Amino acid sequence: MAYLDLPEFEEMDPQIQEKAKPILEKTGSLGDIFKLLAKDKKIYFATDTMVQTYLLEQTYLSYEIKEAIALLISKENSCKMCVDVHVKIATMLGLSEVRIEEILQGIDSMDVEDKEKKLLHFCTRASQKDNYKMTKNDIDELKAIGWNDNEILEAVAIVGYFNYINTLSNVFGLGK
């Protein structure tokens, strides 16, 4: 039960209802995170822009890497609701149950190239409260194994997004 009153579809701003209607028609319900964001139009649309830009559009990183980041950071932040949602999204994007389970077991359990593991370790490190201790050397190590500036920047932006959305979910008791 969420710690705030969440609006139902009929109570949402008409512009948000436009975004919600296809989801509601397809799934029959709106998730609590959608309802929470719908409480404030500016927050909703700022968050929607991040989702569209980082996660749904074809970008520098593959959908598989983006979902691995989503799952790893959400698990690290103890956001059960976000992990559950992204298991479903990863499945819809074609990740196998085996791959999803590997991710949830941790980076070192994943059957992927070391290059990808190093990026994912970097991302989990970047999600920590003491990420201010990271240095240029951390980035240079990724560049030395083939990651470029845009891929690294995008990975960190996705980390930041998940720290943000996990915080909203956890603080307001979503999925409990």
Side-chain angles (χ1 to χ4, degrees):
M1 167 108 324
Y3 304 153
L4 297 176
D5 292 331
L6 302 179
E8 293 303 324
F9 177 81
E10 300 76 25
E11 301 167 299
M12 294 176 186
D13 180 276
Q15 288 181 299
I16 296 174
Q17 286 178 340
E18 278 184 47
K19 292 282 203 168
K21 191 172 183 177
I23 297 167
L24 198 53
E25 289 171 351
K26 186 173 184 177
T27 66
S29 66
L30 297 173
D32 282 353
I33 193 69
F34 190 101
K35 292 177 181 181
L36 177 69
L37 296 170
K39 288 184 74 65
D40 185 292
K41 185 176 170 180
K42 288 180 182 179
I43 292 172
Y44 174 84
F45 281 105
T47 305
D48 185 60
T49 297
M50 287 188 283
V51 169
Q52 298 298 324
T53 304
Y54 299 156
L55 302 175
L56 300 179
E57 291 180 7
Q58 183 67 40
T59 59
Y60 298 106
L61 298 174
S62 70
Y63 288 115
E64 188 166 326
I65 290 175
K66 292 190 277 190
E67 281 305 309
I69 295 169
L71 287 164
L72 290 165
I73 302 307
S74 295
K75 186 173 179 201
E76 181 77 21
N77 290 333
S78 299
C79 186
K80 182 181 179 335
M81 185 201 72
C82 296
V83 170
D84 292 346
V85 166
H86 280 277
V87 164
K88 291 175 186 167
I89 291 171
T91 301
M92 288 185 336
L93 291 172
L95 275 72
S96 70
E97 286 182 33
V98 170
R99 170 59 113 229
I100 293 168
E101 189 55 34
E102 285 177 359
I103 295 167
L104 293 173
Q105 291 302 312
I107 298 164
D108 294 325
S109 298
M110 296 173 63
D111 184 21
V112 295
E113 293 180 18
D114 283 343
K115 176 184 176 185
E116 186 173 331
K117 285 183 180 182
K118 287 185 193 281
L119 178 69
L120 295 173
H121 277 296
F122 173 87
C123 288
T124 57
R125 177 71 185 91
S127 75
Q128 302 300 307
K129 288 183 183 359
D130 67 346
N131 57 13
Y132 64 91
K133 294 179 181 178
M134 295 179 83
T135 66
K136 182 178 184 308
N137 187 54
D138 296 310
I139 303 223
D140 289 343
E141 287 177 11
L142 289 178
K143 290 167 85 170
I145 60 172
W147 293 105
N148 67 45
D149 290 356
N150 291 331
E151 292 165 328
I152 298 167
L153 176 59
E154 182 177 318
V156 174
I158 292 168
V159 167
Y161 171 78
F162 279 95
N163 276 343
Y164 160 74
I165 207 73
N166 296 161
T167 298
L168 286 172
S169 180
N170 287 338
V171 167
F172 293 110
L174 304 185
K176 292 187 178 183

